[in-house]
Amino acid sequence: MAAEQGQILVIATAAVGGFTLLVILTLFFLITGRCQWYIKAKMKSEEKRRNHLQNGHLRFPGVKTYIDPDTYEDPSLAVHEFAKEIDPSRIRIERVIGAGEFGEVCSGRLKTPGKREIPVAIKTLKGGHMDRQRRDFLREASIMGQFDHPNIIRLEGVVTKSRPVMIVVEYMENGSLDSFLRKHDGHFTVIQLVGMLRGIASGMKYLSDMGYVHRDLAARNILVNSNLVCKVSDFGLSRVLEDDPEAAYTTTGGKIPIRWTAPEAIAYRKFSSASDAWSYGIVMWEVMSYGERPYWEMSNQDVILSIEEGYRLPAPMGCPASLHQLMLHCWQKERNHRPKFTDIVSFLDKLIRNPSALHTLVEDILV
Ligand code: ADE
């Protein structure tokens, strides 16, 4: 009898013990599982937050965002993230076509992996440079390499593993837009000029969608190919302004191309896609006047004071009223009232589809 009771006691103890263990294990898995679920959910929401905000810009799902190469601890890692290394044996330099701050700009040919040869422009970094110069030089490639758009200059690749260090980009037969227009004064139809402006606006829409602010949009920084396609070039943030002969030092020590820059960017360095839209209005004026200098020979100080007093550039000769209206829209003092690049592209598309709207000239309204 005692043996039987002992057996029952053992079975009961084992059953209670087993049940308790089961409860403990179930609770453990439930809690850790919930923890993991909570951690996963938190990571997802953090990732979402990061995806919506990069370089301080709101980004949209499905739209690529520009990454500032200066956020890389080692900028040489950035350039290889965004640019292909080219074997110099694939490059044939033909002639010098210009001089940049860092060295010569040449034209030449690049053998593609498919053995085709394409015309290219080659920017070289002159010997005896410091690490800092090499970094500033390659920053442009790290930026350009992130873009893929028909109205943005295309980067073919870089040479960094041998000397001279080079940046290789697509060749633009007609060079920069300002000198091209001066050379062909009065030669184009209004529709051709609007086509060029549409291309520039489309490139700028792409850049602003990516959260990239150009800061030096001007006809001298647009390149033109043999089909009259205009492409935005000259990337590199602060370096661009150091390189630009139009950029002047402000009282606060910044270097800014005054005639092309929005008042808030001059006054307190508030650069944004809205300040790029102001510069776009100036580019419109440069294009419609075939490369005239904005505000002619007025001094930078007089330009700043006149803009502050409400003065705006008049319509160039032969400029359709609708285009001058768009320029004035880009030059609104309140930056949030300026058109977005997407609005500018749609407006120009409508003008191209319905050119009768281009027949009213500003001089026709004034007489
Ligand atoms: N000058 C500077 N860059 C150029 C390019 N990509 N094509 C032609 N001329 C240039």
Side-chain angles (χ1 to χ4, degrees):
M1 200 61 183
E4 246 175 51
Q5 271 183 347
Q7 260 181 347
I8 290 168
L9 199 66
V10 169
I11 291 167
T13 311
V16 170
F19 180 73
T20 312
L21 194 66
L22 195 70
V23 168
I24 289 169
L25 281 175
T26 311
L27 278 173
F28 176 77
F29 281 117
L30 268 176
I31 290 166
T32 54
R34 274 189 76 82
C35 270
Q36 274 177 2
W37 169 83
Y38 175 75
I39 290 165
K40 271 188 194 154
K42 193 146 174 63
M43 274 166 72
K44 258 196 185 152
S45 78
E46 177 60 18
E47 192 180 303
K48 260 194 189 163
R49 197 189 66 79
R50 255 188 288 124
N51 283 345
H52 278 81
L53 207 67
Q54 203 165 347
N55 301 334
H57 291 272
L58 207 58
R59 62 164 296 194
F60 305 98
V63 178
K64 225 177 97 186
T65 309
Y66 157 76
I67 297 166
D68 180 352
D70 288 344
T71 59
Y72 279 69
E73 209 169 283
D74 179 354
S76 64
L77 285 181
V79 77
H80 289 109
E81 179 103 6
F82 303 119
K84 277 187 285 202
E85 181 75 22
I86 297 178
D87 188 317
S89 67
R90 288 175 49 209
I91 302 169
R92 181 153 50 89
I93 294 181
E94 285 171 340
R95 63 184 65 84
V96 178
I97 55 171
E101 191 204 345
F102 295 97
E104 287 169 339
V105 182
C106 303
S107 63
R109 308 250 150 202
L110 173 71
K111 223 182 250 138
T112 64
K115 295 285 174 279
R116 242 174 13 102
E117 274 205 336
I118 59 164
V120 286
I122 305 138
K123 292 189 181 188
T124 57
L125 175 61
K126 55 178 173 261
H129 58 265
M130 302 289 166
D131 270 6
R132 163 96 206 248
Q133 283 169 305
R134 177 190 156 98
R135 197 184 56 211
D136 288 352
F137 177 72
L138 289 173
R139 181 190 289 126
E140 178 165 30
S142 304
I143 297 170
M144 224 190 296
Q146 298 183 44
F147 305 142
D148 179 16
H149 188 275
N151 299 102
I152 305 291
I153 198 85
R154 180 184 143 77
L155 175 75
E156 294 296 339
V158 291
V159 177
T160 65
K161 299 202 159 87
S162 62
R163 298 293 152 92
V165 172
M166 296 184 249
I167 298 177
V168 182
V169 301
E170 68 178 306
Y171 186 64
M172 301 290 284
E173 294 81 355
N174 282 309
S176 55
L177 179 60
D178 62 336
S179 53
F180 174 69
L181 289 170
R182 281 176 209 137
K183 214 159 65 193
H184 298 280
D185 193 357
H187 285 193
F188 300 113
T189 63
V190 169
I191 284 289
Q192 281 177 309
L193 297 176
V194 174
M196 295 181 203
L197 290 173
R198 196 265 177 212
I200 302 165
S202 177
M204 289 306 300
K205 174 188 179 316
Y206 176 82
L207 294 181
S208 66
D209 284 349
M210 280 195 69
Y212 180 80
V213 178
H214 191 291
R215 297 178 176 220
D216 198 10
L217 178 60
R220 64 184 169 279
N221 291 331
I222 305 288
L223 289 164
V224 189
N225 75 9
S226 55
N227 295 320
L228 286 195
V229 176
C230 289
K231 307 200 183 197
V232 181
S233 92
D234 276 74
F235 302 100
L237 304 164
S238 56
R239 188 206 61 71
V240 166
L241 296 175
E242 271 161 40
D243 203 13
D244 189 340
E246 281 294 348
Y249 286 100
T250 61
T251 48
T252 45
K255 209 179 173 207
I256 286 174
I258 300 293
R259 291 154 210 267
W260 282 264
T261 306
E264 73 278 4
I266 297 174
Y268 53 97
R269 299 182 208 183
K270 180 68 198 161
F271 287 94
S272 63
S273 291
S275 63
D276 277 351
W278 178 291
S279 311
Y280 180 82
I282 304 289
V283 172
M284 286 188 72
W285 191 89
E286 291 184 277
V287 169
M288 298 316 293
S289 63
Y290 283 90
E292 183 80 81
R293 181 170 170 74
Y295 312 96
W296 305 276
E297 296 319 312
M298 276 169 75
S299 70
N300 280 345
Q301 204 46 44
D302 284 347
V303 170
I304 294 172
L305 290 174
S306 307
I307 291 294
E308 187 53 43
E309 285 169 3
Y311 171 82
R312 295 296 183 266
L313 283 166
M317 223 174 32
C319 177
S322 51
L323 291 179
H324 188 238
Q325 282 304 315
L326 178 56
M327 293 177 203
L328 294 173
H329 206 160
C330 293
W331 300 330
Q332 301 217 53
K333 185 174 173 56
E334 170 56 59
R335 67 190 158 94
N336 295 316
H337 293 172
R338 295 173 203 152
K340 304 280 178 280
F341 283 107
T342 184
D343 307 324
I344 299 175
V345 174
S346 330
F347 181 81
L348 296 179
D349 274 342
K350 279 188 201 132
L351 282 186
I352 292 167
R353 269 188 263 121
N354 176 21
S356 64
L358 291 167
H359 294 157
T360 312
L361 304 184
V362 172
E363 43 266 51
D364 296 337
I365 299 173
L366 296 176
V367 290

